[in-house]
Amino acid sequence: MRIQILITFLIISINYVCAENEGRSSILADAVDEYLSTRVSRSTANYILERDGDSFQTTYEVKDFLDEFLKKKFTIPKIGIRIETFAVPTERKRVFRIFIVSSYEGLTRIFNERSLKDILLNGHFLIILPKCENHDFEKFFDFLWNLRIVNVNIICAKTNQSVSVFSFMPFTQNNCRDTKPILINQYQNGKFIKPSNFFDPLKIKDMKGCPVRVALTNSSEAVFYTSMEKNKNKICGPDIKLISTLSKALNFKLNFTFIGHSGFLFENGTSEGPFRVLLDENADLAVGYWWLKTVRMKFFSSTVSYAQQPLIFIIPPGKPVTHLERLISAFSLQSWICIGLFYLIGSLVILFVQLKSPCVQEFVFGAGVTSPMFRMFSVFIGDTLNNLPKRNFARFLLMNFIIFTLIIRTVYQGSYFRQMRTFRHHKEVASINEMIEKYFYFYSNPGMIDILLGLPAIRERVRELNNEDLPEFLKQITTNPNFKAAYANALLFTDYLNLKNSDESQHICKEVFATNLPVVIYSLTDFYLLNALDEKLITIIKAGLIDHWTRESCRQNVRKVQESIKPKVLTFDDLEGSFLVLIFGCLLGFIAFLCEKFLL
């Protein structure tokens, strides 16, 4: 009799447990379906449900949930679901991942089976547990936090009539890794108690003053030092203002873990400077006006681009204009030809008249003039004349010649004086092709040399320049016009150099090598703060603060390199008045000749 009673109680208990499990599986399937439905904006979507691949560890609760969930999917195809029991490689990382496990060990097994490189750590995660009992949720969250996973919820059936959703708030007052579970929502009577926005609590909108490790470079145009009292230096620059503004907006504390040279990062992972610190995970962010490059994205993640910078070439100045060139460049070639023709015609006339009789020579040159060619030269240089001609015709010719020469000489002196007062040099190279034709070599720092190597025309002439050799190299390229080299860097870097060395401004090739290279902040792979940083960066960009900080740190006037000032060269149009005086004087001389020949 007792045995029958025990068997009866055992059967009743088994039926009760089965009914309880079936009820929990049913309501959990409904809750998960409703949860996933709120994650999509379309009427249908596809999700991949990943479960522990160890079939021996898969409990009956997990199997019951899957049976119930799949049954619902076949009857009400609201969303699509595919179940995976092993890691399926994908070309793109999944933004939303669903794991169904029965224990903490099952969750760790899932992550051990998958490479973290294939998991979007700053994506969204949902962990499904058939039951809420006998689970240490803090242990779950602590494991995920060590992987830098923040956006995660755990959903489990509390009873056959209630489903709970748990999460954690890592940043609380005086605690920067709080992994205690927090109940954020409940599913009862066919719906969640709170709206869908409560599934994603604002975990990193306010970091409660928790530190973020930042690696800086002290050789950047966007991060530099200013001296203060008591032998102290202050870090400043556009990027410092940017990261400080972000820290205030998200309420995190800046912890500068590295301040040093800019370093480099090669495709094989060899690196120095901030990238080495970031690669060793001794920093969370790297700030220093970094360009977005493919090789860097293999190792790090980045924010949205907050600025664009063209890549330019710093080139040597043009050769200075010599003194002989200054003497000649006062007049244009056309003007010199006209003036030369005038004196040539005058010399030929003198030679022609000298072949005539003394009577004709006296009539044209005047009495007592034995060296008319030297007399013309004396008038040209402004010498005094003691012996003047007696006839009006000769006087008109001499007066006309003196006035014309005086005008030309005065105008030339003024133009030459202006030439001496101005800074003049020959044009520097204006294009990459011109530099190639003149056998220039193209230099760059190690972190930028891969960009130059991407241009086949200059690949053979690309050279790497170490940071130690940069000051001497810049001095050479600034002062030596015969230096056959060009240095590639960002335009803002050139502005910074010109600001520091205003007496030796850098000359820039007018042809830009590359335009609109995006500038970003690099971070650890899938850093949990990236989405929040992107949101704040977009707001800062729209407000125009980036441009304001850049203009404030490197004033626009430093871009105005001392250009070669070419004074106005006097052309024939400018000297037209003097030639009109010459023609008018010749006309008066001809009239005087007619009067003296025929009327007197």
Side-chain angles (χ1 to χ4, degrees), residues 27-43:
I27 192 172
L28 182 59
D30 293 337
V32 171
D33 181 58
E34 182 67 23
Y35 181 96
L36 297 180
S37 300
T38 61
R39 312 295 300 188
V40 295
S41 58
R42 303 186 303 272
S43 58

Side-chain angles (χ1 to χ4, degrees), residues 28-275:
L28 182 59
D30 293 337
V32 171
D33 181 58
E34 182 67 23
Y35 181 96
L36 297 180
S37 300
T38 61
R39 312 295 300 188
V40 295
S41 58
R42 303 186 303 272
S43 58
T44 59
N46 292 319
Y47 285 103
I48 298 174
L49 195 152
E50 304 171 62
R51 71 177 180 86
D52 184 7
D54 191 345
S55 59
F56 294 101
Q57 298 295 331
T58 304
T59 62
Y60 287 104
E61 290 88 350
V62 172
K63 294 178 180 178
D64 291 342
F65 166 76
L66 291 176
D67 292 340
E68 190 69 29
F69 193 63
L70 291 176
K71 186 191 303 181
K72 182 178 291 293
K73 294 302 102 189
F74 282 117
T75 56
I76 308 175
K78 199 172 185 180
I79 56 176
I81 289 291
R82 186 174 84 239
I83 299 176
E84 290 182 357
T85 57
F86 58 91
V88 178
T90 58
E91 294 182 0
R92 297 181 60 185
K93 295 182 180 180
R94 299 167 186 166
V95 178
F96 190 86
R97 304 193 74 145
I98 309 170
F99 300 133
I100 177 169
V101 295
S102 58
S103 64
Y104 170 79
E105 290 74 16
L107 179 65
T108 57
R109 251 191 317 272
I110 285 180
F111 277 92
N112 290 333
E113 292 172 356
R114 291 156 176 79
S115 173
L116 289 180
K117 294 181 179 180
D118 299 328
I119 298 177
L120 187 65
L121 300 179
N122 62 344
H124 293 268
F125 296 82
L126 175 65
I127 299 175
I128 302 174
L129 290 171
K131 289 184 178 181
C132 294
E133 295 88 348
N134 303 322
H135 292 298
D136 186 359
F137 294 140
E138 185 172 359
K139 192 175 181 181
F140 280 79
F141 291 136
D142 188 70
F143 170 75
L144 295 170
W145 172 251
N146 289 331
L147 298 177
R148 300 197 305 273
I149 295 177
V150 176
N151 300 314
V152 57
N153 292 335
I154 295 178
I155 187 170
C156 58
K158 190 174 183 181
T159 64
N160 58 359
Q161 295 181 349
S162 175
V163 173
S164 300
V165 181
F166 295 92
S167 188
F168 74 106
M169 300 292 289
F171 308 111
T172 57
Q173 202 69 32
N174 301 323
N175 192 348
C176 295
R177 55 167 302 144
D178 191 349
T179 56
K180 294 179 181 178
I182 300 174
L183 180 64
I184 60 173
N185 215 331
Q186 281 187 307
Y187 183 82
Q188 294 177 352
N189 300 323
K191 63 179 181 179
F192 282 99
I193 297 176
K194 297 179 182 179
S196 60
N197 60 320
F198 281 87
F199 290 134
D200 297 312
L202 302 179
K203 300 183 180 183
I204 51 179
K205 299 296 182 179
D206 183 2
M207 294 184 61
K208 306 295 183 181
C210 291
V212 172
R213 302 168 300 171
V214 180
L216 294 179
T217 167
N218 60 5
S219 59
S220 171
E221 62 277 9
V223 179
F224 46 87
Y225 295 108
T226 56
S227 299
M228 298 179 65
E229 297 179 356
K230 298 180 180 179
N231 298 324
K232 292 183 179 180
N233 292 329
K234 178 183 178 182
I235 306 176
C236 57
D239 272 13
I240 295 299
K241 294 180 180 179
L242 172 62
I243 195 65
S244 298
T245 303
L246 291 173
S247 69
K248 293 177 182 178
L250 297 176
N251 192 18
F252 62 82
K253 179 184 177 182
L254 290 174
N255 184 3
F256 296 118
T257 59
F258 174 84
I259 302 175
H261 61 89
S262 57
F264 54 83
L265 173 68
F266 294 126
E267 195 167 358
N268 60 0
T270 304
S271 59
E272 285 187 7
F275 290 129

Side-chain angles (χ1 to χ4, degrees), residues 353-369 391:
V353 173
Q354 283 182 330
L355 298 176
K356 300 297 180 179
S357 62
C359 182
V360 175
Q361 294 183 28
E362 182 180 349
F363 181 78
V364 176
F365 301 142
V369 178
R391 289 184 173 273

